[in-house]
C-alpha cells in the first residue's frame, strides 16, 4: 500500500485454511480382517512379514508409480520417422517398473511355487489384494499371465510352451513374461462361439497362421497370448459355432522386439483403465501353435477364465478396501458442523455399511482362493470342486457390482474432493466400472451359474447347500443366533424355490438367473461372516458385521418370484416398458 498503482499487484487473498488430505497407510497393517483371516488360516510369520514389508513398499514407492501410470497413459507409435510401420506401444517407465516388481515380488510365481501348499493361492491373492489399488492396473496383465500359466500347466508343460511357462511364473525380471487373452471380436465378446471370425491356416510344419480381427486386447504390450480361432480344412472351410474353435499360443514379438503378423489398428479411448493399453488388433498371418484339440478351444481357455475371474474378484474387493481406508482416515481430519466426520454418527453408519459389504466380499473371494488352492494341490473333495465351479462366477459377478457401489459411496465421503481428478479418487471409480464388464458381464456369468448347475445334474447346488449348512452348524455364539436363523431361513426359501423352479420351462430360470446368483452370493457370504465371527480369535466387530449383513434380503430370488418377476407374461411387458 502507499505508492500509487501498487494495489493492482497485490496477491488475491486465498485464506489460510487448507484441508489435510487422506493418507495412505500400510494397507496390510490397516486391515484387521485380512490379518485375522491369516492368523486363523495361514499363521505364518514369513507370510505376515512379507505382506507387512510389501505394504510399506506400496506406500513408500509403488502407489506413486500407480499414479504415474494413470497420468502417463500408453500411446501407439504406428510409424518410425522414416515411414516404416513399427506398431510400438509406448508405456510409461512406471508401468515397466510394475513389471519388474511383479516378478521380484512373485505376484504370479507364488501361486506356482506352492511353498505354502494348499494355502499358496490365498497368500498370492492376499498380496495381489494389497497391490491392486496401487498397481496402476498392472494386476490386469498379471491376471492374464496367471491364467495362461494355469492353462499351460493343465495341458502339460512341454514344447512349445515350456519356456513360456517358466517365464510366466518367474521371479527374475529379465526372464519374466506377461500374457494376453484375445477372445473378443467385433461380433461378440460374450457369445464367443458365434462371434469369432479369426481363422487358423495350417502350415506344413504343424504350426498355424492366424488371420482375423481382435476387437479388445488388453495389456497388449504382453510377450505372448492365448487366443481362439477356427482351423480351416483343406478346402478352406471352417466349422461354425463354439465347436469350431481351437485355442492357440502365439509369441507377440520376434527376437528384434517387433510385432509379427499383427497390425495394431488403434488403442481404445476408455472410460477408465487408462493406465493400460487396450488395442484393436488385425491378425495378419500371426504364427501360432494350437494347444487345444481342434474344437475344444472354449473348454481349454475356461481354465484361464477361472483364474482371471478370481483375480477380478480380488481387485474388486481390494478397491472397496482401499477407498474405505482412505475414507476412514479422512474422517479423522475433516470437520463439519463443529466436529470431525468420525464423530457424526450418520457418516459412521455410511462407512460401516461399506465395511460390511467389503468384509462379506473379502471372505467370499478368499473362500474361492482357498478352494482353488485345494484343487490345485490335490486336496479338494468332489464337494469342493463343485463349489469352486459355482462360486467363481458368483464371486466375480457379485463383487464386480459391489465394487462400483462401494467405491461410488466412498467418493461421496470426501464430498466435492471425491470428484476432483487429481486427488486420484475418480480413477478408482472409473477403474471399478470395468470389473462387471470384462471377463464375463453380470448376466453372462449369471447364465454360466445356471449352466454349471444344470450340467452337474444338481450336484453343484447340493455341494452349496451341504457346505453352507455345515458352516452354520459350527456357529455356536449365542449372539449370532439371529444371523444364523436368517441364513438358515434364506437357505430353506432358496431350496423351496429351486424345487418349484424345476417344474418350470427353462425361460423361467433364465429370467431368475441374476437374482439366483445374487441369492447364492448373499447367503454364502452370510454363512462365511458367521463362520469367521465364530472363530475363537474373532473380534466383536466380526460378529457385528455378520449380524448387519444378515439383516438384508439374503434371498432376492424368492421375494422377486413372489411378485411374479419370472412369470412368462413378464418379458413382453419388460420390453414394452423399455421401448415405450
Ligand atoms: O475380458 C477379457 C480380458 C480382460 C482383462 C483381464 C482382466 C482380469 C482381471 C483383472 C483385474 C484388474 S478376456 C475375454 C473374457 N471373455 C469372457 O469372459 C467370455 C464371456 N462368455 C462366456 O463366458 C460364455 O459363457 C462362453 C464364451 C464360455 C460360452 O461359450 P460356449 O461355447 O457357448 O459355452 P459352452 O458350450 O457352455 O462351453 C463349452 C465348454 C464346455 O465344456 P464341455 O464341452 O467339456 O462340456 C463347458 O463346460 O467350455 C466349458 N466351460 C467352462 N468350464 C464354459 N465356461 C466354463 C467355465 N466358466 N468354467 C469351466
Ligand atoms: P455383449 O456380449 O454385446 O453384451 C452386451 C450386453 O448384453 C451386456 O450387458 C450383456 O450382459 C448382455 N447380454 C449378452 N448376452 C446376454 C444373454 N444371453 N442374456 C442376457 N444378457 C446378455 N476381451 C478380450 O478378449 N481380451 C481382452 O484383453 C479384453 N480387454 C478388455 C478391456 C476393456 C477395458 C474392456 C471394456 C473390455 C475388454 N474385453 C477384452 C472385452 C470384454 O471381455 C467384452 O467386452 C465382454 O466380454 C462383453 O462382450 P461384448 O462387449 O461383446 O458385449
Amino acid at each position: 500500500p502507499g505508492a500509487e498503482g501498487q494495489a493492482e499487484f497485490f496477491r488475491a487473498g486465498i485464506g489460510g485454511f487448507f484441508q489435510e488430505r487422506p493418507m495412505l497407510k500400510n494397507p496390510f497393517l490397516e486391515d484387521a480382517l485380512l490379518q485375522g483371516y491369516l492368523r486363523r488360516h495361514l499363521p505364518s510369520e514369513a507370510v505376515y512379514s512379507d505382506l507387512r514389508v510389501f505394504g510399506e513398499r506400496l506406500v513408500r514407492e509403488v502407489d506413486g508409480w500407480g499414479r504415474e501410470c494413470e497420468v502417463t497413459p500408453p500411446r501407439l507409435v504406428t510409424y518410425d520417422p522414416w515411414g516404416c510401420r513399427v506398431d510400438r506401444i509406448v508405456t510409461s517407465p512406471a508401468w515397466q517398473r510394475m513389471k519388474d516388481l511383479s516378478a521380484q515380488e512373485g505376484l504370479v510365481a507364488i501361486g506356482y511355487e506352492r511353498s505354502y501348499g494348499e494355502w499358496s493361492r490365498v497368500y498370492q491373492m492376499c498380496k495381489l489384494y494389497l497391490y491392486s489399488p496401487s498397481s496402476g492396473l498392472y494386476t490386469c496383465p498379471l491376471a492374464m499371465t496367471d491364467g495362461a500359466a494355469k492353462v499351460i500347466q493343465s495341458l502339460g508343460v512341454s514344447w512349445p510352451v515350456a519356456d513360456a511357462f517358466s517365464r510366466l511364473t518367474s521371479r527374475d525380471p529379465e526372464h519374466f513374461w506377461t500374457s494376453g487373452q484375445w477372445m473378443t471380436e467385433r461380433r461378440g465378446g460374450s457369445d464367443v462361439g458365434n462371434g469369432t471370425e479369426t481363422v487358423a491356416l495350417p502350415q506344413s510344419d504343424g504350426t498355424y497362421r492366424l488371420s482375423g480381427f481382435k476387437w479388445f486386447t488388453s495389456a497388449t504390450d504382453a510377450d505372448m497370448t492365448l487366443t481362439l480361432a477356427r482351423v480351416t480344412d483343406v478346402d478352406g472351410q471352417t466349422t461354425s459355432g463354439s465347436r469350431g474353435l481351437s485355442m492357440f499360443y502365439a509369441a507377440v514379438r520376434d527376437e528384434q522386439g517387433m510385432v509379427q503378423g499383427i497390425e495394431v489398428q488403434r488403442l481404445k479411448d476408455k472410460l477408465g483403465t487408462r493406465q493400460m493399453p487396450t488395442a484393436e488388433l488385425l491378425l495378419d498371418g500371426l504364427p501360432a501353435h494350437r494347444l487345444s484339440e481342434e474344437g475344444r478351444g472354449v473348454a481349454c481357455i475356461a481354465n484361464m477364465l477361472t483364474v482371471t475371474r478370481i483375480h477380478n474378484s480380488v481387485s474388486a474387493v481390494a478397491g472397496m478396501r482401499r477407498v474405505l481406508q482412505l475414507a476412514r482416515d479422512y474422517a479423522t481430519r475433516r470437520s463439519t458442523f463443529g466436529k470431525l466426520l468420525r464423530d457424526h454418527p450418520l457418516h459412521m453408519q455410511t462407512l460401516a455399511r461399506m465395511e460390511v459389504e467389503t468384509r462379506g466380499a473379502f471372505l467370499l473371494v478368499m473362500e474361492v482362493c482357498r478352494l482353488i488352492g485345494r484343487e490345485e494341490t490335490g486336496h479338494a473333495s468332489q464337494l469342493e470342486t463343485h463349489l469352486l465351479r459355482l462360486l467363481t462366477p458368483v464371486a466375480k459377478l457379485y463383487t464386480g457390482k459391489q465394487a462400483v457401489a462401494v467405491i461410488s459411496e466412498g467418493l461421496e465421503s470426501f464430498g466435492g474432493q471425491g470428484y476432483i481428478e487429481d486427488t486420484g479418487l475418480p480413477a478408482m471409480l472409473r477403474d471399478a466400472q470395468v470389473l462387471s464388464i470384462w471377463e464375463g458381464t453380470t448376466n453372462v456369468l449369471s447364465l454360466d451359474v445356471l449352466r454349471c448347475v444344470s450340467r452337474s445334474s444338481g450336484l453343484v447346488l447340493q455341494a452349496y447347500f451341504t457346505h453352507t449348512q455345515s458352516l452354520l452348524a459350527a456357529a455356536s455364539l449365542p449372539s449370532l443366533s439371529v444371523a444364523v436363523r436368517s441364513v438358515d431361513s434364506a437357505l430353506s426359501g432358496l431350496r423351496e424355490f429351486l424345487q418349484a423352479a424345476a417344474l418350470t420351462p427353462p425361460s423361467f430360470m433364465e429370467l431368475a438367473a441374476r437374482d439366483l446368483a445374487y441369492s447364492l452370493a448373499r447367503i454364502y457370504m452370510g454363512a462365511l461372516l458367521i463362520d469367521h465371527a465364530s472363530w475363537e480369535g474373532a473380534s466383536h466387530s466380526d460378529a457385528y458385521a455378520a449380524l448387519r449383513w444378515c439383516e438384508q434380503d439374503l434371498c432376492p430370488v424368492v421375494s422377486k418370484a413372489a411378485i411374479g418377476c419370472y412369470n412368462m407374461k413378464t418379458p413382453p411387458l419388460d420390453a414394452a416398458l423399455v421401448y415405450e
Side-chain angles (χ1 to χ4, degrees), residues 132 137 139-140 143-144 181 183-184 189-193 218 242 296 298-299 302 305-306 308-309 311-312 315 389 435 438-440 444-445 448 451 455:
S132 175
L137 245 284
T139 41
C140 171
M144 298 189 287
Q181 174 186 11
M183 295 176 69
T184 306
S190 309
D191 183 6
V192 173
S218 278
S242 188
R296 297 291 296 160
V298 172
L305 294 176
T306 298
T308 47
R309 287 169 183 173
H311 277 258
N312 201 89
S315 286
R389 176 67 183 92
L435 296 171
W438 66 16
E439 293 302 346
V444 166
L445 291 181
D448 184 52
R451 208 172 24 211
R455 290 202 183 157

Side-chain angles (χ1 to χ4, degrees), residues 181 183-184 188-190 216-218 270 434 437-438 441 443 447:
Q181 174 186 11
M183 295 176 69
T184 306
S190 309
F216 276 94
T217 65
S218 278
K270 297 172 288 179
V434 83
I437 297 175
W438 66 16
T441 61
N443 283 351
L447 295 172

Side-chain angles (χ1 to χ4, degrees), residues 295-501:
R296 297 291 296 160
V298 172
C300 197
I301 212 162
N303 267 322
M304 185 171 209
L305 294 176
T306 298
V307 169
T308 47
R309 287 169 183 173
I310 294 173
H311 277 258
N312 201 89
S313 311
V314 170
S315 286
V317 65
M320 299 185 220
R321 174 53 68 206
R322 175 61 61 88
V323 86
L324 257 166
Q325 285 178 348
L326 295 174
R328 72 180 190 177
D329 182 76
Y330 193 63
T332 65
R333 300 172 191 276
R334 176 76 170 171
S335 286
T336 64
F337 300 99
K339 55 186 179 183
L340 287 168
L341 289 178
R342 65 170 295 164
D343 298 323
H344 287 284
L346 187 55
H347 191 71
M348 275 303 106
Q349 180 199 67
T350 308
L351 298 195
R353 286 179 180 169
M354 291 161 63
E355 179 68 36
V356 172
E357 282 294 337
T358 306
R359 285 181 181 230
F362 177 87
L363 290 176
L364 177 64
V365 173
M366 281 305 136
E367 174 72 350
V368 179
C369 300
R370 180 185 77 80
L371 290 168
I372 195 175
R374 282 181 66 75
E375 193 213 35
E376 290 179 333
T377 50
H379 290 95
S381 62
Q382 267 289 305
L383 178 144
E384 287 170 320
T385 306
H386 287 314
L387 266 184
L388 175 63
R389 176 67 183 92
L390 177 70
L391 293 180
T392 302
V394 165
K396 193 285 188 182
L397 74 89
Y398 198 81
T399 59
K401 277 290 200 226
Q402 289 313 99
V404 178
V406 169
I407 294 171
S408 171
E409 187 72 79
L411 259 55
E412 191 175 331
S413 76
F414 299 96
Q417 286 304 100
Y419 204 72
I420 296 305
E421 187 57 39
D422 55 1
T423 61
L425 295 164
M428 295 183 74
L429 184 58
R430 286 201 299 267
D431 291 348
Q433 185 65 60
V434 83
L435 296 171
S436 63
I437 297 175
W438 66 16
E439 293 302 346
T441 61
T442 311
N443 283 351
V444 166
L445 291 181
S446 301
L447 295 172
D448 184 52
V449 167
L450 282 192
R451 208 172 24 211
C452 86
V453 167
S454 68
R455 290 202 183 157
S456 73
S457 316
L459 290 176
V460 154
L461 279 180
Q462 219 173 303
Y464 175 87
F465 281 104
T466 307
H467 193 64
T468 312
Q469 260 153 353
S470 75
L471 289 172
L472 294 183
S476 53
L477 277 184
S479 60
L480 288 171
S481 58
V482 181
V484 172
R485 273 201 301 281
S486 297
V487 177
D488 205 31
S489 133
L491 210 51
S492 305
L494 181 61
R495 197 190 291 279
E496 281 163 28
F497 168 83
L498 290 166
Q499 278 159 359

